[in-house]
Amino acid sequence: MKLYQSIVLLAALAITGSSICTEPTESRQQLPYNFYRDYLGYFLIPNTALMNEQKRDLPAITGTSQQTTSPEDKTADLTIHAPDNAEVLGLFLTILSQQKKEMPENLLEKRVTEKLNLLVGPEGDLSGSILSTIPTITTFGEITAAKNLIAPRRSLEELKSLQARLSFLVDNPDVLEKLESALRKIKKGEAMFALFFKPQHKATTELLNSLYFPDVPGFAELNKSTTAISVLFYYLTLSNLYNLIPLHTTGSIFYNGKNALYAPSWKEKLTEFVKLPYTVTKDVVISEIIRHSPALYRYSKESNGSLDHITTNPQRRTISMGDLELLMRHNLAQDLGNPLISKYGPNINNSFNQNPGIMPKLSAYGITAMEDFVVVARAAAFYMAERDYANIFKNFQTKLVGMAHIVEGLEELNNLIKSSDAPELEEVGTEINTLLEHQYGNDDLGRLIRALKTDTFKSVSYFSNKPRILTTNALMCKKLDFVGALCQAGEIDDIVAIARLIKDHEGKPSPFSLATFIDEELPLLKITDGWNLLLIKENPICNSIHLGLGGNANAHFAGPHGSGKSTTMKSFAVAAIMAQSHGAGPFKEMLIAPITDFFVYLDERENIRKNLSTFMAEQATLDATCTTIKNLTPGSRSLTIMDEGIKGTVEKSAEKRVYKALKGIASIPHSMVIAATHLFEPTKLEADTGRFANYYVKVNDLPNNTFERTYKLERGLEEVMWWFKDDEKRERFINWLMPENNADTEIVAENIPAVAVAA
């Protein structure tokens, strides 16, 4: 420990009279599989960032809330480098992976999430995903929206409670706008909050901690004491200011102070002490001028041949550069002692031989230059220390201003929930309220919240209350206590985003509406005017389908490759998932009995590692999917989308195998299937089972051997029979699909490889 810290520490202990104790550090043990890191992180952050985040645990929380990643002695960097969205997301997922160990129920398998583009688009990033269409504001809102998308709700009670919140916000647009405003304030502070968790290099950490007591047991708690930290701060400030005092100022203070002390009367004593600052300042200025003068000041001489008679004026206490040269020329410099310390010199009244040459002058100039160098070095030390202190305070205050935005946003959310008279919203605001209630207590978290609400953290200013900045930064050791409240703010954000979608789509050709959930033993999915979220246009193509309870339990989409069957089929599956994850979706109406199991079979490929050809992989996955559906427990309600069951063998064999598989599934009462094939045999399932309905996606035949996709789903087979019966037209369509003939081919979802997986 440095000497000055020891001295100030003892003073602070005496002032505060507090007993110091530290809590033992609780070790964290990572679970082998973690939902936030290994599932959400897999999709939401780049692989390189993910690997970096997975390798580290949250550093121990210190009294100054700074961490170190490595002992590398790099140059300290106090500049605030605000992390980008991906880095903030990675840091928050890392925090959640260590704070929240639970696994969400009803979790979709990773490949289902990928193939339905729930969290990532076709290019492997957020753009082009269903998540990107949900306009959340905060990062925690994005995480919550992602978590809900891949874990559809099953409970009718939970779904109806969610819809009650959505209905309230849609019916009260003023509350919706105020909630969005509060969430934007939280978003404004998220990057700064993340910086409190971002490790620093060792050199940066040491510099940031230089204004604090040592972070060791018995001392760290003093960093949270305003009194103790003020004593330390002002001591360091005065110590640094001492560097600006010229070398002989102390002597002037003692000399003039002694004169004032020994003044004959109290009136004169008081007068001299009042004048002391002026007197000292005047002496310092005059002394600096005299010190650089080449003329004699304290000494005088009379020459007589080779002898100089030197006399001293004791009333003059400063030695000029000319005086130094005179003393050096007569070998009297040794009588001065150290000229950098003593400015008084000997009282001389004698004659001495001269020392000719230029060396005495150079020596005098050299001594003065050395004194000036010391003055400049001390001034430079003052400047660098002040610069570092200013940067430290700017670093701390910038991050704390961000935290103040978060507290302000959380308070606005809390007040809106309490004043809106909506019990449904209060259920998602409990942790926010619990956090803010601490401000009325005297624990560290309460002191932190109260401090963040002061004017000190309205904006960054050099003239802010610096001890408060230091104390508040030390209190950020309670930063993890904000995570629960921010997660709840994320839940509110997710609800607000869906309410905003409903509101923004009112009266538009692309409806976004609440689903209607019913309690039925058998599965039911009835969608009216559903549209594809990923193909948002001014006038989107809307399609309808009715499966189960009053309609056929299963649907077969027949027709050519590239007509839009897969795109339409996947849009229905996404609509059902959106309804159960968020209570609403891209449709005019939906009637649904909550689905308990989602299955996706999409374009299996060969697996060389398992020695499986394309056909073998397709057949194995098809068999596994059918077996899983048949083994569902009573009370289950499943939805399966199956695209081109088998393509890795001749068409006749593929037809028989797909027909057999679909017919077997059709007999299962608690299963719904939407299957898309280009084969004729499965079209017979409607007549053979009575539980399948045939559909097709209409394609218009235009002049000049061109076609037009309509993406419009139609009931029946009549207009698509050309695919099975008209060889010439089928060949023209296949030729039109070639990339050189059709610029739109790449957007057809059926061309995107996918995998069949049980949810």
Side-chain angles (χ1 to χ4, degrees):
M1 187 190 306
K2 296 180 180 179
L3 178 60
Y4 75 82
Q5 289 179 319
S6 301
I7 296 171
V8 179
L9 174 62
L10 294 174
L13 283 170
I15 293 171
T16 58
S18 59
S19 60
I20 309 300
C21 62
T22 56
E23 298 179 0
T25 303
E26 181 181 353
S27 61
R28 298 187 183 92
Q29 185 176 1
Q30 285 288 100
L31 294 177
Y33 180 87
N34 186 280
F35 165 71
Y36 289 97
R37 185 190 66 239
D38 301 322
Y39 196 128
L40 287 184
Y42 174 83
F43 289 107
L44 297 183
I45 58 178
N47 289 335
T48 53
L50 174 63
M51 291 181 65
N52 290 334
E53 297 304 331
Q54 285 179 330
K55 286 178 182 177
R56 70 176 182 85
D57 194 358
L58 278 180
I61 308 303
T62 68
T64 56
S65 70
Q66 303 299 328
Q67 294 87 39
T68 304
T69 51
S70 68
E72 298 175 11
D73 190 16
K74 296 192 175 183
T75 304
D77 182 11
L78 297 177
T79 307
I80 291 287
H81 300 285
D84 59 22
N85 290 336
E87 191 173 3
V88 171
L89 188 59
L91 285 166
F92 287 169
L93 286 174
T94 301
I95 295 166
L96 291 173
S97 71
Q98 297 173 40
Q99 297 299 304
K100 295 180 177 292
K101 306 294 186 181
E102 77 280 1
M103 179 79 72
E105 297 180 357
N106 318 324
L107 190 63
L108 298 176
E109 209 277 343
K110 271 186 180 180
R111 291 185 294 174
V112 175
T113 298
E114 182 176 1
K115 299 311 174 183
L116 291 180
N117 300 127
L118 296 180
L119 302 185
V120 293
E123 302 300 322
D125 57 9
L126 184 62
S127 61
S129 68
I130 300 299
L131 179 61
S132 67
T133 66
I134 302 176
T136 52
I137 296 171
T138 67
T139 304
F140 278 98
E142 181 181 354
I143 292 172
T144 302
K147 183 175 70 171
N148 288 335
L149 266 179
I150 58 179
R153 297 171 171 91
R154 297 177 182 176
S155 166
L156 276 175
E157 182 180 354
E158 187 178 353
L159 286 165
K160 290 180 178 179
S161 177
L162 170 62
Q163 289 188 322
R165 297 167 195 151
L166 290 170
S167 297
F168 173 81
L169 294 178
V170 172
D171 295 338
N172 295 272
D174 56 329
V175 176
L176 178 61
E177 291 177 3
K178 290 177 181 177
L179 288 173
E180 288 173 327
S181 175
L183 290 167
R184 279 190 284 271
K185 290 181 179 178
I186 294 175
K187 176 63 177 178
K188 195 174 179 181
E190 278 186 336
M192 296 300 103
F193 179 61
L195 281 179
F196 281 102
F197 296 93
K198 187 177 181 181
Q200 310 277 0
H201 289 298
K202 183 179 179 181
T204 303
T205 303
E206 289 178 351
L207 185 55
L208 289 172
N209 291 343
S210 63
L211 292 176
Y212 285 104
F213 293 103
D215 187 24
V216 295
F219 299 108
E221 287 295 313
L222 286 176
N223 293 319
K224 303 174 189 176
S225 166
T226 304
T227 305
I229 212 71
S230 296
V231 171
L232 177 58
F233 168 71
Y234 289 118
Y235 174 80
L236 293 175
T237 301
L238 291 174
S239 299
N240 193 40
L241 282 172
Y242 181 75
N243 286 322
L244 287 182
I245 299 177
L247 296 174
H248 47 277
T249 304
T250 305
S252 178
I253 292 173
F254 281 117
Y255 178 81
N256 290 288
K258 184 180 70 172
N259 290 341
L261 186 63
Y262 290 108
S265 66
W266 283 105
K267 182 178 180 180
E268 290 178 314
K269 290 180 191 291
L270 182 60
T271 302
E272 290 299 323
F273 274 115
V274 170
K275 291 166 56 180
L276 186 62
Y278 167 75
T279 305
V280 171
T281 303
K282 183 183 72 173
D283 279 0
V284 169
V285 173
I286 293 174
S287 295
E288 283 298 307
I289 295 172
I290 293 172
R291 192 168 63 85
H292 292 84
S293 172
L296 294 173
Y297 177 71
R298 178 179 171 85
Y299 300 98
S300 60
K301 72 172 183 175
E302 294 179 5
S303 298
N304 183 11
S306 62
L307 295 177
D308 283 342
H309 184 75
I310 302 173
T311 58
T312 306
N313 184 349
Q315 300 301 316
R316 296 182 175 182
R317 293 174 291 106
T318 304
I319 297 177
S320 69
M321 196 159 52
D323 293 333
L324 278 174
E325 180 187 352
L326 178 66
L327 295 173
M328 300 292 288
R329 192 171 294 281
H330 296 88
N331 297 319
L332 296 173
Q334 66 273 14
D335 294 331
L336 287 172
N338 185 350
L340 296 177
I341 300 175
S342 174
K343 287 295 180 180
Y344 299 101
N347 292 319
I348 300 173
N349 188 4
N350 210 334
S351 297
F352 302 91
N353 289 317
Q354 296 183 11
N355 183 11
I358 197 172
M359 288 307 298
K361 182 182 289 291
L362 292 178
S363 298
Y365 281 31
I367 291 173
T368 303
M370 288 175 61
E371 290 180 325
D372 290 342
F373 175 79
V374 172
V375 171
V376 171
R378 293 177 67 189
F382 169 82
Y383 167 76
M384 289 187 290
E386 283 299 307
R387 180 197 61 190
D388 287 344
Y389 290 168
N391 288 334
I392 289 172
F393 284 112
K394 183 178 180 181
N395 180 295
F396 288 163
Q397 193 176 22
T398 301
K399 293 186 290 188
L400 292 170
V401 166
M403 284 302 303
H405 288 310
I406 288 178
V407 170
E408 184 180 4
L410 290 174
E411 279 213 312
E412 287 188 14
L413 286 180
N414 195 45
N415 293 335
L416 281 167
I417 290 171
K418 287 182 176 180
S419 62
S420 61
D421 193 25
E424 300 85 359
L425 289 179
E426 290 184 9
E427 296 174 10
V428 293
T430 53
E431 289 203 40
I432 296 175
N433 186 65
T434 300
L435 173 74
L436 295 175
E437 284 294 322
H438 280 274
Q439 66 184 297
Y440 304 111
N442 291 319
D443 60 346
D444 287 348
L445 184 56
R447 293 174 56 209
L448 172 61
I449 295 173
R450 287 197 301 273
L452 290 171
K453 293 173 65 176
T454 62
D455 290 340
T456 302
F457 304 109
K458 297 297 182 185
S459 61
V460 178
S461 171
Y462 177 80
F463 301 101
S464 296
N465 186 328
K466 291 180 173 57
R468 178 180 290 160
I469 294 173
L470 292 172
T471 305
T472 307
N473 183 70
L475 289 170
M476 277 302 295
C477 62
K478 306 299 292 182
K479 58 195 172 188
L480 288 174
D481 290 20
F482 284 83
V483 173
L486 287 172
C487 286
Q488 275 205 335
E491 293 177 28
I492 295 171
D493 190 6
D494 189 31
I495 296 169
V496 166
I498 299 300
R500 174 53 62 192
L501 282 174
I502 296 173
K503 199 71 181 170
D504 288 348
H505 284 269
E506 285 181 346
K508 292 185 177 180
S510 52
F512 200 96
S513 311
L514 294 174
T516 300
F517 297 97
I518 61 172
D519 186 8
E520 286 290 338
E521 183 178 352
L522 296 179
L524 167 65
L525 178 63
K526 184 178 181 181
I527 299 175
T528 304
D529 290 343
W531 51 281
N532 194 323
L533 270 174
L534 300 180
L535 297 176
I536 297 178
K537 298 179 181 178
E538 188 173 342
N539 294 300
I541 306 300
C542 294
N543 288 304
S544 302
I545 196 169
H546 184 180
L547 301 177
L549 197 64
N552 287 288
N554 309 285
H556 174 237
F557 293 0
H561 293 295
S563 60
K565 302 189 304 296
S566 297
T567 301
T568 306
M569 176 178 64
K570 288 166 69 175
S571 71
F572 289 143
V574 168
I577 290 173
M578 279 287 291
Q580 288 188 214
S581 63
H582 288 86
F587 42 76
K588 182 179 180 180
E589 293 178 357
M590 175 184 282
L591 183 64
I592 182 173
I595 296 167
T596 60
D597 299 275
F598 290 87
F599 300 97
V600 177
Y601 179 99
L602 296 172
D603 195 17
E604 272 292 310
R605 298 299 179 92
E606 67 178 348
N607 191 324
I608 297 176
R609 290 179 59 191
K610 295 183 179 180
N611 198 27
L612 294 176
S613 66
T614 298
F615 166 70
M616 294 167 66
E618 289 173 337
Q619 186 66 61
T621 306
L622 182 61
D623 291 343
T625 302
C626 294
T627 301
T628 302
I629 294 172
K630 290 176 182 178
N631 291 336
L632 288 175
T633 58
S636 299
R637 294 177 294 273
S638 70
L639 173 64
T640 304
I641 62 170
M642 184 180 296
D643 188 29
E644 300 294 355
I646 293 179
K647 304 185 297 298
T649 185
V650 295
E651 189 166 302
K652 288 292 184 182
S653 177
E655 282 187 319
K656 292 179 181 179
R657 293 174 182 276
V658 172
Y659 176 89
K660 179 181 178 182
L662 292 178
K663 186 176 181 180
I665 296 175
S667 63
I668 302 172
H670 46 263
S671 166
M672 296 183 295
V673 176
I674 303 176
T677 76
H678 68 289
L679 307 171
F680 179 72
E681 193 71 16
T683 63
K684 300 177 182 178
L685 288 166
E686 180 173 345
D688 293 349
T689 67
R691 288 179 55 80
F692 262 94
N694 285 317
Y695 292 84
Y696 68 95
V697 179
K698 188 174 182 180
V699 176
N700 292 329
D701 188 359
L702 303 178
N704 301 321
N705 293 324
T706 60
F707 294 82
E708 177 190 31
R709 296 187 186 90
T710 67
Y711 293 99
K712 189 66 180 175
L713 187 68
E714 303 284 354
R715 183 78 166 82
L717 286 175
E718 293 79 7
E719 293 193 31
V720 79
M721 288 303 293
W722 61 267
W723 174 252
F724 306 109
K725 305 295 184 181
D726 190 336
D727 294 343
E728 183 271 334
K729 185 175 180 179
R730 181 170 62 243
E731 188 66 22
R732 284 194 295 113
F733 181 79
I734 293 173
N735 289 335
W736 176 77
L737 282 179
M738 296 299 101
E740 61 269 20
N741 299 323
N742 179 14
D744 294 335
T745 301
E746 63 180 4
I747 70 169
V748 180
E750 290 160 312
N751 295 333
I752 302 173
V755 183
V757 181

